[in-house]
């Protein structure tokens, strides 16, 4: 199978029952995607496949064959760090951070489809993502701020969006065979 991750086409051999979560974490070393409950209850494993947020623990790797997969690592891609990352940090949307990759991917998919979400829409979007630390309020604040920054209606603070960044280490694909950039 092959999939595109952060603009890189990655090919790998997987057994039929390998989940997308296992392929990302254990075949491609993309450990930003978290393995929480491993049964569809917590949302920590959320990634985006062809524009839709999915639970990678309930998705077979083969279901992503030929598709574009976005993991939390892709949010740090050049030329800009996604505002969501800095907003979660600056607003206090994460504490232990375990839920954060899933929250980031769920809300990335939301903001891609709805650039101007209401607080209720943000709450509904993250209703499948469990957080044991923050109480959710700061997470919703962070998503609201990121949405405003993306729309050009707010500026980030120190170290916030628009900062140039280095290309991320994506993906290492140590067991697969990399086919090169672009598609
Ligand atoms: S690890 Fe997939 S929903 Fe919990
Ligand atoms: S920040 Fe710890 S689980 Fe959400």
């Amino acid at each position: 199978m092959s999939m595109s991750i952060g603009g890189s086409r990655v090919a790998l051999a997987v057994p039929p029952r390998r989940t997308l979560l296992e392929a990302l974490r254990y075949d491609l070393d993309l450990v930003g995607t978290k393995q929480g409950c491993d049964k569809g209850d917590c949302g920590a494993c959320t990634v985006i496949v062809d524009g839709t947020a999915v639970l990678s623990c309930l998705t077979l790797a083969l279901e992503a064959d030929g598709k574009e997969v976005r993991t939390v690592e892709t949010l740090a891609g050049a030329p800009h760090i996604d505002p969501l990352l800095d907003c979660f940090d600056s607003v206090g949307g994460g504490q232990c951070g375990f839920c954060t990759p899933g929250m980031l991917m769920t809300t990335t998919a939301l903001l891609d489809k709805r650039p101007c979400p209401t607080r209720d829409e943000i709450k509904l979007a993250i209703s499948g993502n469990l957080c044991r630390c923050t109480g959710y309020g700061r997470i919703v604040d962070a998503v609201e701020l990121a949405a405003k920054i993306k729309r050009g209606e707010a500026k980030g603070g120190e170290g916030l969006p628009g900062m140039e960044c280095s290309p991320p280490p994506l993906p290492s694909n140590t067991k697969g065979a990399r086919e090169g950039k672009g598609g």
Side-chain angles (χ1 to χ4, degrees):
M1 67 165 287
S2 69
M3 53 189 163
S4 175
I5 304 179
S8 293
R9 179 69 62 180
V10 178
L12 68 165
V14 292
R17 301 178 87 172
R18 192 82 160 154
T19 67
L20 180 57
L21 174 61
E22 292 166 336
L24 292 171
R25 286 185 60 85
Y26 306 122
D27 296 332
L28 299 174
D29 295 330
L30 293 172
V31 295
T33 302
K34 298 304 178 201
Q35 187 166 21
C37 64
D38 216 17
K39 59 179 183 178
D41 287 340
C42 74
C45 66
T46 303
V47 299
I48 298 174
V49 178
D50 276 359
T52 299
V54 303
L55 299 174
S56 61
C57 71
L58 296 186
T59 304
L60 292 175
L62 289 172
E63 292 180 74
D65 188 28
K67 297 185 177 171
E68 168 73 30
V69 177
R70 296 175 69 191
T71 67
V72 69
E73 287 90 349
T74 69
L75 298 185
H80 301 298
I81 295 172
D82 192 292
L84 266 172
L85 292 177
D86 280 328
C87 289
F88 266 67
D89 184 34
S90 64
V91 172
Q95 290 182 37
C96 80
F98 193 84
C99 73
T100 307
M103 289 284 187
L104 287 167
M105 300 321 290
T106 295
T107 52
T108 291
L110 170 69
L111 295 183
D112 284 350
K113 288 179 177 146
R114 291 195 62 78
C116 192
T118 65
R119 281 185 77 84
D120 282 346
E121 286 172 334
I122 297 169
K123 289 177 189 174
L124 183 61
I126 62 171
S127 60
N129 292 75
L130 303 184
C131 177
R132 295 173 65 90
C133 301
T134 69
Y136 299 95
R138 296 286 176 88
I139 292 172
V140 178
D141 292 344
V143 177
E144 271 196 314
L145 176 57
K148 282 184 186 163
I149 292 168
K150 284 174 181 250
R151 296 196 304 267
E153 295 170 9
K155 289 181 71 170
E158 293 256 357
L160 275 178
M163 305 297 290
E164 298 293 321
C165 66
S166 301
L170 249 189
S172 59
N173 193 22
T174 51
K175 294 179 188 171
R178 194 162 193 165
E179 293 179 344
K181 296 279 289 179

